[in-house]
Amino acid sequence: KPSRKQTRPQSSPVSLPCFRNTTILPPEFFQIDALDLAPHLLGKFLRRDDVVLQITEVEAYRPNDSACHGRFGVTARTAPVFGPGGHAYVYLCYGLHTMLNVVADKEGAGAAVLIRACAPVCGLETIQERRGQQTEKPILLTGPGKVR
């Protein structure tokens, strides 16, 4: 049985002047099995406003997995995970943590890859403000619920 959790060593924060020359991944990139997509997401970048993060740890979830939100079918809460691969799926875990997932596979599959950890590339000040912590240590974005 393949392992679901994939990890890449943390990298140090790097200040880059801009990310204008990067390309957005096409929808087809995400429309594969979650177990195949997960390792392909390692090292990729997430960007929102002035914050750029590099994905360092992921975890794949398929519909037959007891921890997958898609295991019981489509509900109002889980409908986004049944969309086409490539969409963001964010849910509130235990009423405390927002968990960022990337929908995997074709529309209707109900699979996703949880973004467990990232390394800051740009926008460290914004990340620190969001956390209320003035540290450059990797704890800012390690573990699910911290990537925001």
Side-chain angles (χ1 to χ4, degrees):
K1 182 175 174 181
S3 170
R4 292 180 299 141
K5 189 174 178 182
Q6 304 284 327
T7 305
R8 177 172 283 179
Q10 291 285 335
S11 60
S12 300
V14 178
S15 290
L16 298 178
C18 72
F19 255 69
R20 285 183 226 165
N21 295 327
T22 60
T23 58
I24 296 174
L25 295 169
E28 298 79 31
F29 177 88
F30 303 95
Q31 295 173 2
I32 59 176
D33 185 273
L35 286 177
D36 295 324
L37 178 60
H40 291 299
L41 289 174
L42 292 171
K44 298 293 188 269
F45 297 97
L46 296 171
R47 179 180 177 202
R48 181 173 180 228
D49 302 324
D50 68 331
V51 174
V52 177
L53 309 175
Q54 186 171 31
I55 300 171
T56 59
E57 187 178 346
V58 295
E59 193 166 301
Y61 291 95
R62 294 159 132 180
N64 62 348
D65 183 336
S66 64
C68 182
H69 282 186
R71 72 186 179 281
F72 296 123
V74 181
T75 67
R77 182 178 186 218
T78 65
V81 82
F82 287 90
H87 287 266
Y89 170 59
V90 179
Y91 70 93
L92 188 61
C93 182
Y94 302 121
L96 299 171
H97 308 289
T98 52
M99 311 291 267
L100 173 63
N101 293 260
V102 175
V103 176
D105 219 323
K106 62 187 177 301
E107 189 166 356
V113 176
L114 171 66
I115 308 300
R116 290 189 52 87
C118 290
V121 176
C122 293
L124 182 60
E125 301 78 22
T126 302
I127 297 166
Q128 291 170 334
E129 287 174 22
R130 290 175 182 169
R131 299 290 174 287
Q133 295 177 319
Q134 295 300 312
T135 180
E136 293 186 22
K137 295 181 181 177
I139 61 165
L140 286 171
L141 297 164
T142 58
K146 292 186 177 181
V147 178
R148 56 181 168 137

